[in-house]
Amino acid sequence: MNAPAERRAVRRERFLKAAGWRGAIAKPLAGDASNRRYERLEGDQGRSKAVLMDAPPKRGEDVRPFLAVTKRLRDAGFSAPEIYFADETEGFLLLEDLGDALFARVCASDPALERPLYAAAGALLAEIQARPAAENGFDPPPYDVQTLLREAVLAVDWWWKGVCDPPSDAAKQRFEGLIRTACAPVSKVRDALVLRDYHAENLVWLSDRRGSARVGLLDYQDALAGHGAYDLISLLEDARRDVSQPASDAAEDAFFAESGADREAFSAASAILAAQRNLKIIGIFARLRLRDGKPAYADLIPRVWSHLRKDLSHPALADLKAFVAQNLPEPTPERLARLKAGA
């Protein structure tokens, strides 16, 4: 173990002692694309469980947004994990263990449950968005045009540059202009609390609870105030799994029935935000390989590209569609192999 890791281990033990969990049995949990690490803790001869979040500040992590959004969600009665103990300075949190029944796992083990689970997720999303984005002192940053642009440009800065010759300055400027124009209709909307990663790997089925509380929430620390279509698209256009048409229909039906939103009015906004989101994801997955040494994410790019192609078919995105078709490199097997090789 190197010196920084040793120092982190000492701080971890100090935190667990202060939290009353010294000596707990720890088992690693699957992490995410960030620098956070998670462990399941068992104490009292296995009778009690908790999750330790290790978010090192020196690696760019900050637990304060997670704490703020958690309070906002729990105050509204939603099933975000309870915070048992926190050290904001050192980046350690002790959380309620919501279990292993991630939507992705439940649907894989019992496909018959996919439709009702997605219906529940759609209804919950409408309930979350029925409340003001800013509430009880919580005021999330706006999902403004600069943020939307900065995210979409990741497709140029990491995917395009990572698998082909870099684009010209003129081409990048043209892309940026098209994104600004495309996102203009949604970039000033602040109606909804946008969790941003509302999908099957971050939703937990809590079958012993009732109503919307049956859907546990994870990984929402990057929440912003924006258009409600973003999280609905996150759920339906999942980068990690194919959502069946019946499950997609059930989620949409439940969302619109609960929210009363106009489907037609949502159509253009959904396409715009879906295209922006999928461009961002393609760039992030390339960055995870090239910068962070995580090659497995490259295998997910073809699915995301398929989503992007569908999104760009909306008439409101005709100019962006033409640019992408003519310029942005498609994820051919050769390009994906080059990306995975770290070229």
Side-chain angles (χ1 to χ4, degrees), residues 122-123 125-127 129-130 252-262 266:
L125 189 58
E127 289 190 40
Q129 296 182 5
E252 284 194 300
D253 290 345
F255 174 82
F256 288 109
E258 182 72 29
S259 68
D262 184 276
F266 247 66

Side-chain angles (χ1 to χ4, degrees), residues 103-104 106-121 200 205 235-236 238 241-248 250-251:
F103 273 37
V106 174
C107 293
S109 62
D110 189 351
L113 289 175
E114 184 188 29
R115 190 176 185 280
L117 262 63
Y118 272 74
W205 187 237
L235 179 66
L236 304 182
D238 197 320
R241 69 180 303 271
D242 296 321
V243 180
S244 73
Q245 194 60 51
S248 180

Side-chain angles (χ1 to χ4, degrees), residues 174-191:
R174 172 63 175 158
F175 177 79
E176 292 176 354
L178 289 168
I179 292 295
R180 286 182 180 275
T181 299
C183 291
V186 298
S187 63
K188 294 183 179 180
V189 178
R190 305 285 181 266
D191 295 342

Side-chain angles (χ1 to χ4, degrees), residues 2-338:
N2 57 38
E6 289 180 355
R7 288 194 291 271
R8 191 67 184 167
V10 169
R11 294 185 178 108
R12 173 187 176 279
E13 289 305 310
R14 187 183 303 140
F15 172 80
L16 291 177
K17 180 181 179 181
W21 282 74
R22 185 180 183 183
I25 298 172
K27 299 178 181 178
L29 287 171
D32 52 25
S34 72
N35 289 312
R36 296 182 295 272
R37 294 176 58 252
Y38 298 88
E39 293 176 286
R40 170 168 285 140
L41 305 180
E42 293 186 1
D44 299 328
Q45 291 75 49
R47 289 192 296 272
S48 59
K49 294 183 179 180
V51 170
L52 174 67
M53 179 196 290
D54 179 351
K58 289 187 177 180
R59 300 193 67 186
E61 297 297 328
D62 184 354
V63 299
R64 290 173 297 180
F66 183 88
L67 291 170
V69 185
T70 297
K71 184 178 186 305
R72 158 72 168 75
L73 292 169
R74 288 186 59 82
D75 285 350
F78 302 122
S79 291
E82 182 180 351
I83 309 294
Y84 295 146
F85 201 74
D87 186 331
E88 298 178 19
T89 302
E90 293 291 351
F92 290 110
L93 300 180
L94 192 65
L95 312 172
E96 176 187 7
D97 185 354
L98 295 181
D100 293 318
L102 295 174
F103 273 37
R105 294 180 185 175
V106 174
C107 293
S109 62
D110 189 351
L113 289 175
E114 184 188 29
R115 190 176 185 280
L117 262 63
Y118 272 74
L124 171 61
L125 189 58
E127 289 190 40
I128 292 173
Q129 296 182 5
R131 308 181 71 92
E135 188 176 41
N136 296 334
F138 174 74
D139 190 9
Y143 215 156
D144 57 23
V145 69
Q146 287 303 118
T147 305
L148 292 163
L149 175 62
R150 183 175 66 251
E151 293 176 344
V153 168
L154 293 172
V156 173
D157 289 343
W158 289 96
W159 167 249
W160 190 339
K161 291 181 180 179
V163 297
C164 288
D165 292 334
S168 66
D169 291 343
K172 184 173 180 180
Q173 289 171 9
R174 172 63 175 158
F175 177 79
E176 292 176 354
L178 289 168
I179 292 295
R180 286 182 180 275
T181 299
C183 291
V186 298
S187 63
K188 294 183 179 180
V189 178
R190 305 285 181 266
D191 295 342
L193 178 66
V194 181
L195 302 184
R196 300 177 77 190
D197 281 307
Y198 192 81
H199 57 72
E201 294 286 348
N202 289 332
L203 301 175
V204 185
W205 187 237
L206 305 172
S207 58
D208 58 334
R209 302 187 187 186
R210 293 186 176 184
S212 60
R214 294 176 300 170
V215 181
L217 298 166
L218 303 173
D219 200 12
Y220 42 69
Q221 61 279 340
D222 296 323
L224 299 173
H227 197 294
Y230 190 96
D231 278 347
L232 185 60
I233 284 297
S234 299
L235 179 66
L236 304 182
E237 293 192 4
D238 197 320
R240 294 165 177 80
R241 69 180 303 271
D242 296 321
V243 180
S244 73
Q245 194 60 51
S248 180
D249 291 343
E252 284 194 300
D253 290 345
F255 174 82
F256 288 109
E258 182 72 29
S259 68
D262 184 276
R263 285 179 184 256
E264 189 63 30
F266 247 66
S267 175
S270 295
I272 292 165
L273 290 169
Q276 184 273 346
R277 182 174 186 272
N278 287 313
L279 285 165
K280 172 181 70 172
I281 292 172
I282 289 168
I284 288 174
F285 285 175
R287 184 176 67 186
L288 283 165
R289 171 61 192 106
L290 297 172
R291 188 190 70 183
D292 303 330
K294 298 179 179 181
Y297 287 92
D299 294 330
L300 302 175
I301 290 177
R303 178 185 288 112
V304 183
W305 188 271
S306 178
H307 292 325
L308 174 63
R309 188 157 40 199
K310 182 190 73 173
D311 304 329
L312 291 174
S313 67
H314 194 283
L317 298 172
D319 290 343
L320 182 59
K321 175 184 178 181
F323 179 91
V324 169
Q326 294 168 13
N327 296 281
L328 197 65
E330 291 194 31
T332 62
E334 294 77 18
R335 287 170 178 153
L336 291 170
R338 182 178 178 184

